Amino acid sequence: QLKNCNGMISKACFLKNRNQISRIFLYAFLSVGIICTVVGNFLVVLSIAYFKQLQSPTNSFVMSLAVADCLVGLVVMPYSMIRTVEGCWYFGSLFCQLHSSLDVMLCTASIFHLSCIAFDRYYAVCNPLVYSLKMSPSRVALLIAVCWAVPMLISFGPIMLDLHVADVDILLPQDVCVFLVSRIYAVMASLVAFYLPMAIMLVAYWKIFKAAKRQARQISALESQMAAGVGKDSSKKKKHRNTMRRERKAAKTLGIIMGVFLLFWMPFFTVNIVDPFIDYSTEVVVWDIFLWLGYINSSLNPFLYGFFNRSFRRAFLMFMGFFGSPSWRCILFSAIASLFL
């Protein structure tokens, strides 16, 4: 039996009567977002792979994050764009399941990597003496593996086996690809994919923020001593002051990244939990807006790093200059080779 909910039936034909100008505008606007996502994250991957000074435990997470975000732009966003603009799904039910699985997996992997970056920064700022022990290469590799394995388990398994729609009695037309989920799956998947990583990030950032405030007071005290001419090892004090300032800046950058993350993903996961409990009556326009807000987070991550991190900024500018010359091919090949060596 086809259940006539406010949101579900309208999804089959919504936007079909949209005029040509608005369709062209939407395609152009969303295509720019897709290009920015792919190019920006590809530059992050290329920069870390090519420049040895960027290869650190933190940037291992950043690189894996950029791979996830780049794949969101390559294999998820283009089909979501066609679905959003046309209001129909032209690629069959099997590919709809595959697309939904990739969507959940890659977006969840992106969120997991952000929580790992926050965890990494927590040890770097709050427990620097044990940082090298806690963030050894083997532990970093293990955390990155978890960032990919857990999202795969909560996406491909349930979705491809239709476990995510257990107890959902809504039948959709063949030309509609809507990600309906049961109440149990909505709550459990949202907790694992968003709310648990969000809690980790908020706790880590709060501890980093408190450490940054404490370091700021230390910097102020050192500056007062130096101004009074106190202390013989002024060079050591200056080095210590610069180190604390860098960590403070890292905490500020992390805070902005977390703020952007919450702003763009919180609406989607809130509606994702609420929708099954209100008989799937959320309008398709609301779903599309909130979903694309989440995609935008994947677009913004490389720009946030490029704007706040001088090393990344220099690497981006260098690559942009090299792309206009034949030598960029050598850089590209060597960077790709370094990924496998």
Side-chain angles (χ1 to χ4, degrees):
Q1 182 179 0
L2 186 63
K3 187 175 180 179
N4 189 5
C5 297
N6 294 334
M8 291 298 100
I9 299 304
S10 62
K11 292 178 182 180
C13 57
F14 186 79
L15 302 178
K16 284 186 177 180
N17 296 324
R18 175 177 283 149
N19 62 58
Q20 191 70 14
I21 295 178
S22 62
R23 284 154 59 100
I24 293 174
F25 172 78
L26 275 176
Y27 271 123
F29 179 75
L30 297 179
S31 295
V32 170
I34 293 172
I35 292 171
C36 290
T37 302
V38 174
V39 174
N41 285 289
F42 179 71
L43 281 175
V44 172
V45 174
L46 203 59
S47 299
I48 297 174
Y50 184 75
F51 294 104
K52 297 294 183 182
Q53 61 268 33
L54 289 177
Q55 296 173 7
S56 64
T58 302
N59 286 343
S60 297
F61 293 119
V62 173
M63 185 176 186
S64 189
L65 166 67
V67 171
D69 287 337
C70 190
L71 289 174
V72 170
L74 282 173
V75 302
V76 175
M77 293 172 68
Y79 299 100
S80 295
M81 175 182 65
I82 296 173
R83 180 182 60 192
T84 297
V85 177
E86 300 295 335
C88 294
W89 183 257
Y90 301 117
F91 309 104
S93 58
L94 179 60
F95 192 76
C96 174
Q97 287 183 307
L98 180 61
H99 178 265
S100 297
S101 300
L102 288 170
D103 194 345
V104 173
M105 186 194 81
L106 293 174
C107 290
T108 304
S110 178
I111 294 171
F112 271 38
H113 281 91
L114 287 175
S115 64
C116 282
I117 293 171
F119 185 70
D120 172 87
R121 288 292 83 202
Y122 162 74
Y123 275 109
V125 176
C126 300
N127 295 285
L129 296 180
V130 299
Y131 175 74
S132 58
L133 177 64
K134 294 294 184 179
M135 288 298 166
S136 62
S138 58
R139 185 161 295 184
V140 169
L142 176 62
L143 288 173
I144 290 176
V146 170
C147 287
W148 286 98
V150 174
M152 187 177 296
L153 288 176
I154 67 172
S155 59
F156 275 89
I159 294 174
M160 298 304 291
L161 296 175
D162 288 331
L163 299 179
H164 67 299
V165 291
D167 300 327
V168 177
D169 59 348
I170 297 176
L171 298 177
L172 296 174
Q174 291 294 320
D175 62 346
V176 173
C177 181
V178 178
F179 188 56
L180 292 179
V181 294
S182 64
R183 295 180 178 182
I184 295 176
Y185 183 85
V187 174
M188 297 302 297
S190 297
L191 286 175
V192 174
F194 177 75
Y195 289 102
L196 180 60
M198 179 191 71
I200 294 173
M201 286 185 278
L202 289 176
V203 171
Y205 178 66
W206 174 245
K207 291 183 177 294
I208 291 172
F209 178 73
K210 290 196 296 184
K213 286 182 65 177
R214 183 172 63 252
Q215 291 173 356
R217 289 194 295 267
Q218 293 174 350
I219 291 173
S220 179
L222 283 172
E223 287 178 340
S224 299
Q225 290 180 355
M226 293 176 67
V230 177
K232 297 180 180 180
D233 297 328
S234 59
S235 61
K236 291 184 179 180
K237 291 180 179 180
K238 184 177 181 180
K239 183 179 179 180
H240 183 60
R241 182 182 62 181
N242 291 336
T243 300
M244 288 190 293
R245 279 179 172 170
R246 284 196 299 269
E247 298 297 353
R248 216 169 123 210
K249 184 178 180 182
K252 180 181 177 181
T253 303
L254 182 61
I256 294 175
I257 292 173
M258 295 305 104
V260 170
F261 162 74
L262 292 175
L263 176 66
F264 287 102
W265 272 121
M266 180 69 82
F268 174 81
F269 281 100
T270 301
V271 173
N272 190 55
I273 287 183
V274 172
D275 192 52
F277 292 92
I278 58 174
D279 293 329
Y280 307 96
S281 59
T282 305
E283 293 294 336
V284 65
V285 177
V286 176
W287 272 113
D288 281 340
I289 291 174
F290 288 169
L291 179 61
W292 280 95
L293 280 177
Y295 291 157
I296 290 173
N297 188 73
S298 295
S299 305
L300 291 179
N301 283 333
F303 292 97
L304 289 172
Y305 289 112
F307 183 78
F308 289 106
N309 190 301
R310 182 181 300 175
S311 298
F312 274 111
R313 189 161 59 245
R314 288 176 177 174
F316 291 168
L317 292 174
M318 186 175 297
F319 279 125
M320 290 171 68
F322 273 121
F323 284 157
S325 63
S327 58
W328 75 269
R329 296 182 182 88
C330 297
I331 295 177
L332 177 62
F333 291 144
S334 62
I336 294 175
S338 69
L339 294 175
F340 301 97
L341 297 179

